Amino acid sequence: MQAIVYRRYSSDEQGDGSAQTLEAQLERCQSFAEAQGWTIIEVLTDEAKSAFKGDHLRADADLGRFLSRLREGEFAKGTVLIADNLSRLSRRPVDEAMAWVHEVTGKGVEIGLADTRAVFKP
């Protein structure tokens, strides 16, 4: 199965440690993918994009572009979007976060969380 890793940090203030933060997220996601037998085909990165404000879902953000590509049918069913933890994907109110998860999984893309090893399936 093909997988796409998503990693993010929230603000410019966090930028000083961004390389380490992003690398640690990537390593945990790679470990999860390897354990599941998934092949990583792409790594998406949003730097200084707040999930609380929804900045990471805007058109100029990698996760926002991912969603546009998903809506265009670019990803095969069974593709997995992996994040280190749920807070990397959303810090929005529960109803908004769940609507996003349902949209992604409704298009046949699974969501994997490296920290809990949970996988949300369609």
Side-chain angles (χ1 to χ4, degrees):
M1 208 176 319
Q2 294 185 327
I4 298 166
V5 170
Y6 176 69
R7 57 194 186 153
R8 177 189 66 76
Y9 67 87
S10 301
S11 66
D12 287 329
E13 290 78 32
Q14 294 175 332
D16 292 338
S18 65
Q20 294 168 336
T21 298
L22 293 174
E23 189 60 34
Q25 289 179 47
L26 179 60
E27 288 173 6
R28 287 187 291 268
C29 291
Q30 287 172 324
S31 175
F32 181 37
E34 185 177 315
Q36 298 297 318
W38 300 332
T39 302
I40 296 172
I41 59 167
E42 188 173 353
V43 176
L44 307 175
T45 304
D46 280 324
E47 299 180 54
K49 301 284 186 193
S50 170
F52 181 76
K53 296 176 185 174
D55 295 342
H56 67 315
L57 297 175
R58 293 183 180 169
D60 65 338
D62 269 5
L63 196 60
R65 285 188 287 272
F66 166 82
L67 192 56
S68 293
R69 294 165 59 198
L70 178 74
R71 289 172 177 157
E72 293 170 6
E74 184 174 326
F75 303 106
K77 289 187 189 297
T79 299
V80 182
L81 176 66
I82 306 171
D84 185 42
N85 59 61
L86 191 56
S87 70
R88 298 302 87 204
L89 296 173
S90 184
R91 289 185 179 265
R92 300 296 301 150
V94 172
D95 58 336
E96 289 181 35
M98 291 305 297
W100 186 86
V101 168
H102 286 297
E103 181 174 4
V104 172
T105 58
K107 297 283 188 184
V109 172
E110 299 177 9
I111 298 173
L113 303 176
D115 65 339
T116 62
R117 304 288 169 134
V119 179
F120 301 111
K121 297 185 178 202

